[in-house]
Amino acid sequence: MKDWPFPRHIAHRGAGKLAPENTLAAFRHGASFGYRMFEFDVKLSADGEPVLMHDATLDRTTTGSGRVDAMTLGELAALDAGGWHSPAYAGEPVPTLVAIARYTQANGFMVNIEIKPVPGTEYRTGAAVALDALTLWKHAAVPPLLSSFSEEALEAAHKVAPGLPRALLLDKLPPDWLERLRRLECVALDANHSELDAAVIGAAHAAGFKVLCYTVNDPARAQDLLDWGLDGLITDAVDQIRPQP
Ligand code: G3P
Ligand code: MG
């Protein structure tokens, strides 16, 4: 991997809110606005298969209900993950990490895999997702960037796939945020954008870390962050914030 091969603009959950989050349809929609990197959320099914889903439960974004990890991949395949958004997307399936690996690599797109374990499955999810990412992106020019709010998941990912780049997600910056990045051997901080300013970005850079942030939907705020040297901006507003080449 070259020092930092990722573009500065990253589509959140595929295409933000313009299409059903974490579906292939959303990725295609985000790509239609010129986005070349995608953030998405991954957790495990009951039979240990990585699938794209933000919430721990199925209720908000599918026709199913209950915990995601209570259903096998076969059971998840029967759900509609698009109709909740709008009729145009009815019937859209829950994607597997395998499907996303195929789609993104066939199109030369890059990925930020957010490991989002169902509570209580942090280590297992971190290890399984990282191991699958290692295999699925084995021939890719650019590896997936792994990220997580769960330090346990990042530790597991490091153990099984030490060569894959990792970012620590932080909603609030604790006083020891730099020490945490060092301890987890992350390459980047990935913070709530409201925690960032020129000084924080400068401090991360001075310590050798890149900086990403979520979820920036105001173009003026995006420009400020980029002017301060931000390395990766995760946005829902793929129709308003133009990706740079
Ligand atoms: O990965 C950044 C961002 O997606 C974290 O928040 O809740 O949208 O997964 P959330
Ligand atoms: Mg996410």
Side-chain angles (χ1 to χ4, degrees):
M1 182 176 113
K2 57 176 195 176
D3 184 33
W4 186 253
F6 305 110
R8 297 223 283 176
H9 289 76
I10 304 165
H12 186 224
R13 306 184 197 173
K17 299 179 193 314
L18 298 177
E21 64 186 54
N22 289 315
T23 65
L24 255 176
F27 282 60
R28 293 190 179 106
H29 200 55
S32 76
F33 291 97
Y35 276 75
R36 296 186 299 115
M37 183 162 177
F38 299 87
E39 182 271 355
F40 53 93
D41 309 294
V42 175
K43 44 182 47 72
L44 300 180
S45 64
D47 43 352
E49 295 295 332
V51 294
L52 275 66
M53 187 73 55
H54 180 275
D55 298 359
T57 55
L58 297 158
D59 303 63
R60 180 176 64 87
T61 60
T62 77
T63 44
S65 64
R67 283 170 63 118
V68 179
D69 63 345
M71 282 206 180
T72 63
L73 189 61
E75 289 167 335
L76 290 170
L79 302 179
D80 177 348
W84 68 274
H85 180 276
S86 50
Y89 293 108
E92 191 65 32
V94 175
T96 59
L97 187 60
V98 174
I100 295 300
R102 288 204 184 113
Y103 170 75
T104 53
Q105 287 174 70
N107 290 283
F109 297 149
M110 286 158 271
V111 296
N112 169 203
I113 303 174
E114 184 190 337
I115 305 169
K116 209 185 245 328
V118 171
T121 67
E122 285 78 6
Y123 198 90
R124 189 160 58 88
T125 304
V129 172
L131 202 54
D132 276 20
L134 194 62
T135 309
L136 294 168
W137 272 267
K138 191 163 73 177
H139 301 297
V142 176
L145 175 65
L146 307 179
S147 63
S148 191
F149 288 105
S150 165
E151 296 193 12
E152 203 181 337
L154 288 175
E155 280 166 11
H158 182 203
K159 191 138 195 151
V160 303
L164 290 183
R166 292 173 307 283
L168 175 61
L169 277 160
L170 288 168
D171 193 44
K172 290 263 171 259
L173 285 191
D176 63 345
W177 61 272
L178 268 174
E179 286 75 59
R180 288 180 196 229
L181 292 178
R182 286 195 193 99
R183 187 182 65 76
L184 293 160
E185 296 182 45
C186 287
V187 296
L189 164 70
D190 191 349
N192 184 320
H193 78 89
S194 61
E195 294 293 288
L196 296 184
D197 55 25
V200 173
I201 294 172
H205 284 168
F209 298 104
K210 301 292 181 183
V211 184
L212 298 93
C213 70
Y214 64 92
T215 307
V216 185
N217 295 331
D218 173 25
R221 174 69 176 161
Q223 195 54 55
D224 282 346
L225 288 156
L226 293 169
D227 289 347
W228 295 332
L230 184 78
D231 303 287
L233 180 115
I234 299 173
T235 182
D236 291 320
V238 295
D239 55 339
Q240 295 170 52
I241 297 179
R242 295 273 163 228
Q244 292 157 355

